[in-house]
């Protein structure tokens, strides 16, 4: 008797999970692990504190989480930094000392990251915009980026001569100070296109220059976008972004900021998808549950 026809088949392209801020752990084809902007700040840091500074209150409200630790990462063969602020890099040292991976970082920041987290210089891999890097497990195209300058627009800027210049923007999250991670992170940002060995393209776009970034990658048509969800973006604007990029899926970056206002991001992403459906777009947005693994797959499924 002949075997029956299959009703469906699935091919896993990669697996990923969101940890915090812009930190995604991505399991690549072949098993190597890429971690973007490694950051986690546990709520236990505030145990026993009865009075919090303004900065600590912000950390607790917007950034602190529970239910995870640096020990829960499955790997970090590659550590990829968009920029070097503490909320994008505070686990770099811990992950490097566990997994001894390559630290891919904006070139102008490489020496300071090595110094602050005491990582051997030879482990640092300086990146320059306009270049393409051919690693064993993926290809990385690098594009210029720009940090969100909301604070500057609101008049909350600081000159290099200010007394706190070596601390402000760097303090907190367990970052050793004094250091230059604050100012360097504000100046040097990069965006990326990651192409895996099985031809899956992931666009990583953070900061305020999305319109420029689209011009750089308009012919790439990525499968997946990891894209900054700036708190002022309406659902319609976020839908515009995935359509303009020509991607199939969009997942957020830095969406923890919604906690400051109590915004319901599940409701927000439902609205994004309703707008896309009304337009006849097949693109979809997805709000990942923290720490939960998701598979990105190509599937063939028989209709009922």
């Amino acid at each position: 008797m002949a075997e029956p026809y299959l009703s469906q088949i699935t091919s896993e392209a990669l697996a990923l999970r969101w940890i915090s801020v812009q930190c995604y752990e991505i399991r690549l084809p072949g098993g190597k692990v890429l971690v973007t902007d490694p950051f986690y700040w546990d709520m236990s840091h505030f145990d026993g504190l009865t009075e919090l500074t303004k900065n600590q209150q912000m950390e607790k409200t917007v950034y602190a989480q529970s239910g995870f630790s640096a020990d829960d990462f499955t790997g970090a063969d590659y550590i990829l930094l968009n920029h070097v602020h503490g909320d994008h890099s505070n686990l770099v040292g811990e992950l490097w000392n566990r997994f001894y991976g390559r630290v891919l970082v904006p070139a102008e920041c490489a020496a300071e990251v090595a110094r602050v987290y005491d990582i051997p210089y030879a482990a640092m891999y300086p990146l320059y915009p306009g270049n393409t890097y051919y690693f064993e497990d993926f290809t990385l195209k690098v594009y210029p980026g720009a940090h969100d300058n909301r604070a500057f627009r609101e008049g909350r800027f600081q000159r290099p001569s200010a007394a706190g210049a070596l601390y402000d923007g760097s303090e907190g999250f367990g970052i050793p100070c004094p250091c230059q991670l604050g100012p360097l992170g504000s100046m040097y940002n990069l965006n990326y296109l990651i192409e895996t060995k099985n031809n899956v393209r992931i666009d990583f776009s953070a900061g305020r220059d999305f319109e420029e970034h689209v011009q750089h990658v308009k012919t790439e048509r990525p499968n997946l976008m990891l894209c900054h969800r700036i708190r002022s973006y309406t659902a319609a604007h976020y839908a515009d972004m995935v359509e303009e990029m020509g991607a199939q899926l969009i997942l957020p970056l830095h969406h923890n900021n919604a906690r400051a206002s109590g915004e319901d991001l599940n409701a927000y992403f439902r609205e994004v998808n309703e707008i896309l459906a009304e337009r006849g777009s097949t693109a979809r947005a997805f709000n990942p549950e923290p720490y939960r693994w998701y598979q990105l797959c190509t599937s063939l499924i028989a209709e009922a």
Side-chain angles (χ1 to χ4, degrees):
M1 180 178 177
E3 289 189 26
Y5 285 101
L6 296 175
S7 62
Q8 66 181 58
I9 195 165
T10 297
S11 172
E12 179 184 316
L14 55 83
L16 78 170
R17 61 175 172 173
W18 177 70
I19 308 301
S20 182
V21 190
Q22 292 185 179
C23 181
Y24 277 85
E25 184 179 3
I26 303 173
R27 189 168 65 234
L28 299 165
K32 294 291 182 67
V33 176
L34 166 67
V35 176
T36 65
D37 286 9
F39 172 81
Y40 182 77
W41 194 237
D42 198 85
M43 190 68 76
S44 64
H45 286 98
F46 303 98
D47 289 350
L49 297 180
T50 56
E51 294 185 11
L52 301 180
T53 66
K54 183 179 179 180
N55 194 66
Q56 288 173 328
Q57 184 59 56
M58 177 273 296
E59 290 179 5
K60 184 176 182 180
T61 301
V62 176
Y63 291 97
Q65 296 174 214
S66 57
F68 195 78
S69 78
D71 293 336
D72 293 323
F73 282 88
T74 65
D77 301 286
Y78 303 92
I79 297 171
L80 178 63
L81 299 180
N82 162 253
H83 66 284
V84 299
H85 283 161
D87 60 331
H88 297 260
S89 68
N90 81 331
L91 294 186
V92 169
E94 288 186 64
L95 291 183
W96 191 86
N97 280 300
R98 283 186 63 198
F99 300 108
Y100 304 108
R102 289 182 173 181
V103 182
L104 317 179
V105 59
E108 296 84 356
C109 310
E112 183 69 348
V113 171
R115 186 192 69 81
V116 170
Y117 295 112
D118 200 24
I119 298 171
Y121 291 114
M124 310 304 295
Y125 202 108
L127 301 176
Y128 297 87
N131 285 2
T132 300
Y133 299 87
Y134 298 93
F135 298 107
E136 181 181 355
D137 301 283
F138 62 96
T139 299
L140 184 71
K141 295 182 179 180
V142 181
Y143 303 95
H147 193 269
D148 179 39
N149 65 350
R150 181 173 55 87
F152 183 84
R153 295 195 308 271
E154 295 174 353
R156 294 183 287 112
F157 56 84
Q158 180 172 254
R159 300 179 189 277
S161 59
L166 291 178
Y167 294 88
D168 293 348
S170 303
E171 80 283 13
F173 306 128
I175 308 299
C177 280
C179 73
Q180 287 286 322
L181 296 187
L184 289 173
S186 296
M187 288 189 291
Y188 299 109
N189 288 236
L190 295 176
N191 292 320
Y192 305 106
L193 189 83
I194 302 160
E195 184 170 349
T196 70
K197 293 191 295 185
N198 55 352
N199 305 312
V200 173
R201 292 187 176 97
I202 306 167
D203 183 82
F204 186 104
S205 172
R208 69 179 191 268
D209 65 335
F210 180 78
E211 292 75 18
E212 177 189 343
H213 180 62
V214 169
Q215 297 305 309
H216 286 294
V217 298
K218 59 185 177 182
T219 62
E220 297 288 356
R221 319 297 286 183
N223 306 91
L224 172 66
M225 290 174 67
L226 302 178
C227 186
H228 195 166
R229 207 293 304 215
I230 293 177
R231 70 186 74 180
S232 61
Y233 286 172
T234 65
H237 182 69
Y238 211 62
D240 292 341
M241 293 172 76
V242 66
E243 287 194 294
E244 190 173 4
M245 182 66 73
Q248 297 161 295
L249 292 168
I250 181 170
L251 276 66
L253 297 171
H254 230 311
H255 48 301
N256 57 293
N257 284 338
R259 291 167 51 183
S261 59
E263 182 182 9
D264 183 346
L265 281 179
N266 287 329
Y268 175 90
F269 278 84
R270 174 181 51 77
E271 185 178 354
V272 173
N273 286 325
E274 288 172 352
I275 292 169
L276 290 168
E278 288 171 2
R279 295 175 180 177
S281 172
T282 59
R284 290 295 182 266
F286 187 76
N287 184 35
E289 181 181 341
Y291 326 138
R292 184 172 187 175
W293 283 101
Y294 296 91
Q295 294 177 331
L296 181 65
C297 301
T298 301
S299 299
L300 189 67
I301 303 174
E303 293 185 348

